[in-house]
């Protein structure tokens, strides 16, 4: 019986928006994003400063850049909230999976304990029979079988 990985099953049930939020979260929380972000900021400042003599489109203090950064911060906040909600869902699913696994394990352990108790009782009964046989309290199995096979007194063939 193949055991299905619940995480893969959950990942397949995601909507396009949930997948996009995960991709954006993973991208924005990476070193390449930070490096690229710093590079874009440096290029923006350099191009505007060099073009200042010729009338740049966003003169110092870079008001347009500040607008873009504010919009980026607003989007990052929303994406992080979406991501946090998704992580809560994943954590809840993992907790439920752990609980289900624990319940199944407890049932199996209880069944094994019951079997072990049955085996212990059978071993005790066997030991008692062996002791009684060795003390002569019961006829030996071969004598008992012979007695059963003998015809009853007074009966002839």
């Amino acid at each position: 019986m193949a055991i299905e990985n619940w995480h893969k099953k959950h990942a397949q049930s995601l909507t396009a928006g949930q997948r996009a939020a995960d991709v954006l979260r993973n991208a924005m929380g990476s070193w390449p994003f930070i490096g690229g972000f710093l590079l874009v900021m440096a290029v923006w400042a350099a191009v505007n400063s060099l073009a200042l003599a010729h009338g740049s489109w966003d003169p110092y203090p870079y008001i347009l850049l500040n607008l873009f950064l504010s919009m980026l911060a607003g989007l990052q906040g929303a994406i992080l909230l979406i991501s946090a909600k998704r992580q809560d869902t994943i954590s809840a699913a993992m907790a439920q999976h752990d609980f289900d696994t624990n319940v199944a394990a407890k049932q199996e352990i209880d069944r094994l304990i019951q079997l072990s108790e049955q085996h212990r009782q059978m071993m005790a009964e066997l030991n008692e029979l062996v002791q009684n046989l060795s003390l002569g309290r019961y006829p030996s199995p071969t004598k008992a079988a012979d007695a059963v096979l003998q015809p009853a007194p007074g009966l002839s063939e």
Side-chain angles (χ1 to χ4, degrees):
M1 177 175 104
I3 298 174
E4 189 171 333
N5 183 338
W6 70 269
H7 194 271
K8 287 181 183 177
K9 185 177 172 183
H10 176 71
Q12 291 171 351
S13 70
L14 296 177
T15 65
Q18 290 170 330
R19 285 192 189 104
D22 287 346
V23 168
L24 286 173
R25 177 203 60 214
N26 292 338
M28 287 192 308
S30 66
W31 285 109
F33 176 81
I34 292 170
F37 181 79
L38 292 175
L39 180 66
V40 167
M41 295 298 106
V43 168
W44 185 284
V47 167
N48 272 291
S49 296
L50 293 175
L52 189 58
H54 305 293
S56 65
W57 68 89
D58 188 21
Y60 184 81
Y62 311 124
I63 295 170
L64 184 60
L65 178 61
N66 282 326
L67 174 66
F68 290 152
L69 292 176
S70 296
M71 289 188 298
L72 177 65
L75 284 175
Q76 282 179 325
I79 290 168
L80 291 176
L81 286 174
I82 291 169
S83 173
K85 283 176 31 181
R86 292 242 326 100
Q87 188 59 44
D88 288 346
T89 303
I90 291 170
S91 295
M94 288 176 65
Q96 184 63 46
H97 177 71
D98 287 347
F99 177 77
D100 293 342
T101 301
N102 291 345
V103 167
K106 183 179 182 334
Q107 289 172 347
E108 185 68 17
I109 289 169
D110 289 345
R111 188 182 70 79
L112 290 173
I113 288 171
Q114 184 181 20
L115 283 174
S116 177
E117 182 59 26
Q118 288 174 352
H119 288 162
R120 189 196 62 75
Q121 288 174 355
M122 289 187 329
M123 289 302 295
E125 290 173 6
L126 282 173
N127 284 333
E128 183 182 340
L129 285 172
V130 168
Q131 284 179 346
N132 287 333
L133 283 173
S134 66
L135 294 174
R137 292 186 184 158
Y138 297 120
S140 71
T142 55
K143 289 182 185 176
D146 290 342
V148 170
L149 295 176
Q150 294 297 326
L155 293 176
S156 62
E157 297 182 30

